[in-house]
Amino acid sequence: MRHYFALFIFAVILVFSSCRTDFDTVASSGNLKFSRDTVYLDTVFKNIGSSTYQLKVYNKSKDDISIPIIQLKKGLASKYRMTVDGMSGNQGKIFNNVTLLAKDSLYIFIETTADITDADPTDFLYTDEIEFDSGANLQKVALVTLIQDAIFLYPKQNPDGSKEKIKIDGKDVDGFYLEENDAVNGNELLFSNQKPYVIYGYAGVPKTKTAVFEAGSRVFFHANSGLFVDSDAALQINGGVSTTEKLEKEVIFEGDRLESLYSDIPGQWGSIILAEGSVNHSINHLTLKNATIGLDLKTTTNTAIKNTQIYNCAQYGILAENAQITGENIVINYAGLASLSCVYGGNYNFTHCTFYNNWQSNSHFAVSLSNSLSGKVPETNPLTQATFNNCIIYGSNTNELNLNKNTNAAFVYQLSNCLLKFSSSSTNPDYQFKTDTQHYNSIILNESPKFYNVSQNKFNIDKTSAAFAKGNQAYIIPVDIIGNTRTSPPDLGAYQSKDF
């Protein structure tokens, strides 16, 4: 009985001691330690909130301490805001008498929303400091953010408070049509390289108009946003060969989160949609990243796509529905369903292209072809041509080519001088790469292309690659995707081998 009584007394003491809230603390002596001495909040667009960044503060002493003040140096005028161990303080700027226990730490989370006018005009940096304590014990952690000016394009607000909408595939979506004589932006159909553009919602190219993207232009799309080219409208992307790592002449489409955390996340924005009936499209030196569907083509007039890179798309790099494409020096990697998917027939000719898919699943493809589409009337449509010359079709799966053939419509395809990954044990008559000369000529099967670095989208090769000097001179494109002259016989894929 005495044993149980002793246990009861011990439990009571333990409970009361755990509920104690009055700590004996000493004043901070200026010996705090920090997880970093500068917090870089990456690049943000003017007046667009940043991601949240973390700073950890350590008390390595044996004493519980009280920090008299934690504050932003610019005080309530600062464009930064913080929380300290979940507390918001005075407008997220000033915190008084913060307790930090011995051998313990606290978290500070930092964000910013700033205008270009807040930044230093010489370098566009907005800076501040987090100050800990004051006087002789003052410690500081620097805050640095690059503010980027931009042209913002977005749907107008209707009198009833709703957003402007446009119709895409029969559905109303948040969007607007670009104007030639906008009161604020001038000619919105001409995308220059003077400032980046940030698009909210779908920017529509009106019927009979052409959207032109100059070399070096940069377009950043917000979530659920994209570009829609209406019937009888056209898209002209006029990028060029760049000579530096800044890709100064490349046209770049990507999401509007500039922080490094978002650099390779698929599905951050919608798609570039070329509607049925749209015309005269030309795409040259475009880099497109992190969309849901990169290029969504429904036009039956020829679209020329050259020297173009498409990466990290949640569904497809290129989705073509009964479309017509002439493709040269295209590279696509990392797509949830297929890097290139041609459905409901069409007419396609690809030369010196690298279709790779490194998506981590067992159901994706590098290339998928089909002459049918569920829900369409009729359900089948002729695939009049699908030609792949001097191409690489490869990836992380066992089979990277998918032929979905319906016998109710034509299904015409041919692969010549291509490096292909596909199970050599397949008995399906559509995949007899060595004996079916009607559809396959000079196929290299399951030999490694030895790309430089697939995870970094570097698809250069060297002399050890199975794609080296295996191309057919009859199909040669004289220069590769980055302007290198091809030799004879050429290498397969979009890159000509070169020391790098």
Side-chain angles (χ1 to χ4, degrees), residues 20-25 64 99 101:
R20 182 184 171 190
T21 58
D22 57 322
F23 295 99
D24 293 327
T25 62
D64 299 337
T99 298
L101 302 182

Side-chain angles (χ1 to χ4, degrees), residues 299-422:
T299 173
T300 56
T301 60
N302 187 56
T303 298
I305 307 175
K306 301 179 180 180
N307 308 305
T308 289
Q309 305 172 69
I310 302 175
Y311 302 126
N312 306 324
C313 293
Q315 295 180 14
Y316 303 98
I318 295 178
L319 174 61
E321 180 183 323
N322 187 29
Q324 183 176 351
I325 299 174
T326 300
E328 301 174 358
N329 291 335
I330 297 173
V331 179
I332 308 178
N333 182 33
Y334 205 71
L337 297 175
S339 291
L340 169 69
S341 181
C342 302
V343 301
Y344 204 54
N347 189 308
Y348 311 98
N349 191 321
F350 296 101
T351 306
H352 279 294
C353 295
T354 299
F355 299 112
Y356 196 92
N357 203 343
N358 198 41
W359 194 273
Q360 299 306 304
S361 76
N362 57 8
S363 58
H364 69 255
F365 299 98
V367 172
S368 181
L369 305 176
S370 173
N371 60 351
S372 63
L373 187 61
S374 178
K376 283 285 188 178
V377 179
E379 190 172 281
T380 59
N381 192 63
L383 178 65
T384 57
Q385 176 180 261
T387 301
F388 297 83
N389 299 318
N390 291 354
C391 292
I392 298 174
I393 301 173
Y394 222 82
S396 57
N397 267 353
T398 302
N399 300 327
E400 289 293 350
L401 175 67
N402 178 51
L403 304 177
N404 184 12
K405 183 193 304 184
N406 190 306
T407 57
N408 292 327
F411 195 93
V412 180
Y413 65 99
Q414 187 173 61
L415 283 72
S416 298
N417 299 88
C418 291
L419 174 58
L420 174 65
K421 187 175 183 183
F422 198 95

Side-chain angles (χ1 to χ4, degrees), residues 427-443:
T427 59
N428 187 318
D430 293 334
Y431 302 105
Q432 300 309 305
F433 306 106
K434 300 299 184 182
T435 58
D436 180 4
T437 56
Q438 179 183 355
H439 297 111
Y440 304 104
N441 293 296
S442 301
I443 301 299

